[in-house]
Amino acid sequence: MRVRGFTLIEMLAVLVILVTLAAIVVPRFINAGTRSREAALRQTLAEARNAITIFRNDTGYYPQQLSDITRLPNNPPTQGYDRWGQLCPIDPADYHGPYLDRLPVCPISKQPFQYFRDPATGAWNVRSPASGRAQDGSYYRNW
């Protein structure tokens, strides 16, 4: 009586198929952590920039410091920047914050965002303090 089982050729064929599938699937998951942190950075930057824009639309000025977008309504900021970088008084009645619950932190570097004035446009903006490049080759700092 003959014992039924798999031949060596059948086992090798299955092994080749499994290795081929692994070669296709594994590289997709190797950089998944980096891709998710980069997506989180893009989203967090967009939220912070949106909060700055709403603050400016409400008060007419940019926040004096980034923490102004998280102030409670009973403690409104008293000054803000115009597009030329000059401090101007803010009417407390115009402040309708907080625009964010807490200050955003860069998901890549785990440090607070940098708040700066763009000299070309006069607009105030945030950027990541992370050094290095993203997977697309661009610098995190330039996002």
Side-chain angles (χ1 to χ4, degrees):
M1 178 177 216
R2 185 165 188 235
V3 177
R4 305 227 1 115
F6 296 107
T7 65
L8 182 60
I9 298 296
E10 291 170 333
M11 296 290 278
L12 287 174
V14 169
L15 187 62
V16 165
I17 291 170
L18 290 175
V19 167
T20 303
L21 287 174
I24 293 170
V25 172
V26 168
R28 302 275 305 158
F29 292 107
I30 288 176
N31 295 327
T34 302
R35 285 195 315 269
S36 68
R37 282 189 298 277
E38 288 180 0
L41 174 58
R42 288 185 191 275
Q43 182 62 37
T44 308
L45 283 170
E47 289 173 5
R49 289 172 179 154
N50 185 49
I52 291 168
T53 300
I54 295 170
F55 181 100
R56 183 176 181 274
N57 290 341
D58 284 352
T59 65
Y61 301 103
Y62 292 100
Q64 185 176 356
Q65 51 197 353
L66 197 54
S67 62
D68 286 350
I69 61 177
T70 62
R71 286 185 174 213
L72 296 175
N74 61 356
N75 184 23
T78 58
Q79 292 183 316
Y81 286 114
D82 62 14
R83 67 177 310 147
W84 296 278
Q86 303 298 316
L87 277 175
C88 301
I90 292 178
D91 182 358
D94 292 338
Y95 181 76
H96 304 294
Y99 302 97
L100 288 178
D101 292 334
R102 56 187 159 81
L103 283 177
V105 175
C106 174
I108 306 287
S109 69
K110 308 291 188 232
Q111 298 174 348
F113 285 131
Q114 297 171 343
Y115 184 56
F116 70 101
R117 181 176 170 269
D118 184 351
T121 64
W124 289 79
N125 206 342
V126 290
R127 67 176 163 220
S128 171
S131 60
R133 293 178 182 252
Q135 287 186 328
D136 65 1
S138 63
Y139 289 101
Y140 293 125
R141 186 175 180 83
N142 295 339
W143 284 8

